Amino acid sequence: MMKMTLKFKFLCIFLLVQLFNPLFALSKEEGVNASAADTGQSVLIPFNSELGLARLINASAKVDFPALANQFEAQSNRAFCGPTTAAIILNAVYGRNQSLPRDTSRIKPEDSKNLNPGFDLTVPRFTQETVILKGRKTRAQVLGEPVLINGNLVRDGGYQLREFDEMLRANQLKTSLRIVSDQTSINDIRQEFIKNLKMSGDYLVVNYRREDVGQKGGAHISPVGAYDEASDSILIMDVNPATQGWVWMPLSVIVKGMKTFDKIENRGFVLIEGL
């Protein structure tokens, strides 16, 4: 009888811990956010932390996350954050479709020597290489071949936001481009983010400067997986995990990172509509 009573007490304690654990996490998060507000410093919460995972559970807008996580891949080189983000989004939008492009660039002639005649090793999906082919900016230009900007030949590796948007549209996506300036209302950005991240099949991509959000590196493009109202932050699914992991970033911080100049105009974000 005593053993049964002791087991029952342990069971009750376990259930209470599970019941109130989200509240403990929320209190802890509020404490972190308050500290950040007091010091004026930005707080980037790693997704793979206890707090980061709890934030996703409690997030108010996260319908995009499963599809993006399922199609996620890391960029193959330092200039391909744009093509990688595009490939992830396109594969999330079009799913398992046999008519998708088949990329043979990673398969060598000798790879097929032991296969049955006619057997195709490729799989139907968008890749970092194939998405570039439809856009105006060439692979060579993405990798640093000089281009003409304002009458001058300059190296402009990677993608400016407008070039990235053009590449998405060339791959048959319907997009809305937003350049962020000093006149852009943070509340307007918040509302557009929330609406997009609550709509299944719609996707959101941000273009920002790493130094202005407290990270090492330069310009970057990545998809957004969720918005958490309690912390007013977004989950950036960074496509360069060799440099930075996925992080929860305060909205005010990402706005600061987007409100930076990139050769012709400021950076910003792209809203992608579902099919």
Side-chain angles (χ1 to χ4, degrees):
M1 184 70 177
M2 185 178 296
K3 289 183 178 180
M4 289 296 294
T5 303
L6 189 59
K7 288 182 178 179
F8 181 73
K9 287 182 178 179
F10 279 126
L11 178 60
C12 289
I13 292 172
F14 174 79
L15 291 174
L16 285 171
V17 169
Q18 295 304 309
L19 178 63
F20 289 104
N21 189 53
L23 297 180
F24 296 152
L26 183 59
S27 297
K28 182 179 179 183
E29 182 168 331
E30 287 174 345
V32 170
N33 290 335
S35 175
D38 292 342
T39 60
Q41 297 175 345
S42 65
V43 176
L44 307 184
I45 304 297
F47 172 71
N48 63 347
S49 65
E50 182 180 348
L51 183 55
L53 293 171
R55 192 173 288 190
L56 179 64
I57 292 171
N58 296 318
S60 54
K62 56 186 174 186
V63 295
D64 293 344
F65 180 79
L68 291 173
N70 187 52
Q71 299 293 350
F72 186 83
E73 60 181 277
Q75 62 188 83
S76 61
N77 64 62
R78 294 175 64 180
F80 271 23
C81 58
T84 306
T85 298
I88 293 169
I89 300 257
L90 283 159
N91 286 318
V93 169
Y94 288 102
R96 298 177 180 87
N97 189 325
Q98 292 300 309
S99 65
L100 296 187
R102 290 178 178 267
D103 184 6
T104 60
S105 64
R106 300 180 185 180
I107 299 176
K108 301 175 182 178
E110 59 267 28
D111 293 338
S112 302
K113 67 180 181 180
N114 296 314
L115 302 176
N116 291 328
F119 184 81
D120 189 356
L121 273 175
T122 63
V123 293
R125 64 181 286 107
F126 292 93
T127 68
Q128 299 173 39
E129 289 76 19
T130 59
V131 296
I132 297 175
L133 301 177
K134 295 288 185 68
R136 291 197 194 104
K137 193 164 192 176
T138 67
R139 179 188 176 90
Q141 291 169 344
V142 173
L143 294 173
E145 181 181 80
V147 294
L148 197 64
I149 296 180
N150 295 328
N152 299 310
L153 274 176
V154 297
R155 295 184 186 277
D156 185 34
Y159 281 83
Q160 294 180 36
L161 185 62
R162 197 170 294 275
E163 295 171 333
F164 174 75
D165 178 64
E166 185 277 327
M167 185 254 287
L168 291 180
R169 288 186 285 106
N171 280 280
Q172 306 305 308
L173 288 179
K174 188 175 181 180
T175 69
S176 296
L177 173 69
R178 300 286 188 268
I179 300 298
V180 177
S181 68
D182 290 335
Q183 287 70 47
T184 308
S185 163
I186 189 172
N187 188 57
D188 288 345
I189 294 174
R190 181 183 295 108
Q191 294 309 312
E192 287 207 288
F193 279 18
I194 293 172
K195 180 180 178 181
N196 179 283
L197 295 168
K198 281 187 174 181
M199 184 71 68
S200 180
D202 287 4
Y203 295 95
L204 169 64
V205 174
V206 288
N207 173 215
Y208 57 100
R209 182 176 158 91
R210 285 196 187 277
E211 292 94 332
D212 288 83
V213 299
Q215 295 179 329
K216 292 181 179 179
H220 195 53
I221 294 174
S222 278
V224 176
Y227 169 80
D228 176 52
E229 183 178 4
S231 60
D232 195 28
S233 65
I234 60 171
L235 175 61
I236 295 183
M237 302 173 73
D238 201 311
V239 296
N240 189 2
T243 301
Q244 301 288 339
W246 296 3
V247 295
W248 287 97
M249 186 177 294
L251 189 65
S252 59
V253 176
I254 187 61
V255 169
K256 179 183 176 184
M258 293 189 294
K259 198 188 301 182
T260 51
F261 190 73
D262 186 11
K263 295 205 170 50
I264 294 177
E265 60 188 342
N266 278 9
R267 299 178 174 88
F269 58 96
V270 177
L271 302 161
I272 296 105
E273 294 185 31
L275 300 177

